[in-house]
């Protein structure tokens, strides 16, 4: 069994206030390499809150998130920011591409933030990623000149920019039609099967969840189920 990439230990997230709201409760789980995981559950159950804690976009109120066996709650904000850039790529429902930049410039942003490559190398990698996702004819276009499915492919390219081992997706197909939904899902699946990434995706789509290897079902902030899907069992995955 491969070593865990991410471990949640008694992770709890509470929104403070006169009447505090607990979003995630004493959650424990382990995520390894080359996993394709769905996070499911009713609206407001804590799915996105969990994803944001796993990706260090938010800190737990108590408990810990370990990445590569390192406690992240003990890190400085700068250390967590660096770990986000190197270990995680993010895909969101509404892509959050910057409208004033071309799609090539959008994909370049994480690489510029990391600061490891020259400008020429950054541009070359951005174009290579976009070409690999059949967007080579649109390199100079802005996001508003593309379809919803194309914009989500740009978001996937941006998530891959720093070659991070883990891709976290929050309802990545929630605003897409059925054809674009399957295209984006197949891309995420290929990241696991062809490129060795780990993909964790929040989804309301039961059909998509059953096509992943593992399902984490959250209800009222509790992890109610952590199970291999029927498809994973049939394929002998996990």
């Amino acid at each position: 069994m491969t070593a865990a990439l991410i471990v949640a230990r008694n992770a709890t997230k509470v929104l403070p206030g006169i009447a505090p709201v607990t979003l995630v409760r004493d959650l424990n789980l382990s995520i390894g390499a080359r996993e394709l995981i769905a996070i499911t559950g009713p609206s407001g159950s804590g799915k996105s809150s969990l994803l944001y804690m796993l990706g260090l976009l938010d800190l737990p109120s108590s408990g810990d998130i370990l990445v590569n066996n390192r406690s992240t709650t003990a890190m400085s904000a700068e250390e967590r920011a660096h770990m986000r850039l190197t270990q995680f790529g993010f895909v969101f429902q509404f892509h959050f591409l910057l409208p004033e930049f071309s799609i090539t410039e959008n994909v370049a942003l994480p690489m510029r933030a990391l600061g490891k490559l020259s400008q020429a190398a950054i541009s070359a990698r951005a174009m290579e990623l976009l070409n690999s996702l059949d967007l080579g004819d649109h390199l100079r276009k802005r996001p508003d000149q593309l379809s919803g499915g194309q914009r989500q492919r740009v978001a996937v390219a941006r998530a891959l920019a720093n070659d991070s081992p883990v891709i976290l997706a929050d309802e990545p197909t929630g605003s897409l039609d059925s054809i674009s939904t399957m295209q984006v899902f197949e891309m995420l699946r290929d990241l696991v099967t062809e490129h060795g990434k780990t993909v964790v995706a929040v989804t309301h789509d039961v059909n998509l969840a059953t096509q992943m290897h593992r399902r984490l079902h959250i209800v009222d902030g509790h992890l109610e189920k952590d199970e291999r899907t029927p498809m994973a069992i049939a394929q002998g995955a996990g």
Side-chain angles (χ1 to χ4, degrees):
M1 186 174 180
T2 58
L5 297 178
I6 310 171
V7 175
R9 289 184 178 169
N10 300 315
T12 295
K13 182 64 183 179
V14 179
L15 287 181
I18 297 174
V21 177
T22 301
L23 302 175
V24 177
R25 303 168 186 267
D26 296 321
L27 194 140
N28 292 277
L29 63 85
S30 177
I31 295 171
R34 300 180 71 96
E35 289 202 81
L36 179 59
I37 298 174
I39 300 178
T40 63
S43 295
S45 59
K47 303 184 299 297
S48 294
S49 297
L50 171 59
L51 192 79
Y52 295 166
M53 284 197 296
L54 295 177
L56 312 185
L57 292 171
D58 201 1
L59 280 173
S61 304
S62 61
D64 201 358
I65 303 295
L66 282 70
V67 178
N68 296 330
N69 208 34
R70 293 183 61 198
S71 167
T72 60
T73 56
M75 293 178 178
S76 67
E78 291 77 14
E79 287 176 310
R80 281 193 298 273
H82 184 265
M83 183 160 277
R84 276 196 303 273
L85 279 171
T86 57
Q87 299 301 308
F88 300 101
F90 299 93
V91 182
F92 300 97
Q93 180 176 352
F94 297 108
H95 60 74
F96 295 120
L97 301 173
L98 296 181
E100 66 271 26
F101 292 158
S102 72
I103 64 170
T104 304
E105 291 168 330
N106 269 279
V107 174
L109 289 173
M111 293 181 278
R112 288 178 177 163
L114 188 58
K116 284 190 172 181
L117 300 176
S118 67
Q119 290 302 312
I122 287 172
S123 295
R125 176 159 174 77
M127 289 187 286
E128 176 187 4
L129 286 167
L130 290 166
N131 274 303
S132 72
L133 296 174
D134 296 324
L135 291 165
D137 293 335
H138 307 286
L139 299 177
R140 295 184 180 180
K141 290 183 179 178
R142 295 188 307 275
D144 63 1
Q145 296 174 293
L146 302 180
S147 69
Q150 287 171 327
R151 287 194 292 268
Q152 217 39 330
R153 276 187 271 160
V154 177
V156 170
R158 181 182 58 188
L160 294 171
N162 287 332
D163 199 23
S164 303
V166 181
I167 306 300
L168 301 178
D170 191 6
E171 294 284 2
T173 63
S175 60
L176 303 179
D177 60 39
S178 59
I179 293 174
S180 296
T181 289
M182 287 312 301
Q183 289 174 340
V184 170
F185 172 73
E186 287 167 5
M187 277 190 287
L188 295 176
R189 183 173 56 194
D190 286 348
L191 293 180
V192 177
T193 59
E194 304 297 327
H195 302 283
K197 306 292 185 185
T198 289
V199 174
V200 183
V202 168
T203 183
H204 281 99
D205 191 321
V206 175
N207 180 50
L208 291 188
T210 60
Q211 295 182 64
M212 299 191 189
H213 300 152
R214 180 178 168 197
R215 182 172 74 125
L216 307 174
H217 190 66
I218 311 294
V219 177
D220 294 333
H222 291 285
L223 179 58
E224 286 218 338
K225 293 181 181 178
D226 181 352
E227 59 188 4
R228 293 169 67 206
T229 65
M231 180 169 289
I233 294 170
Q235 295 176 344

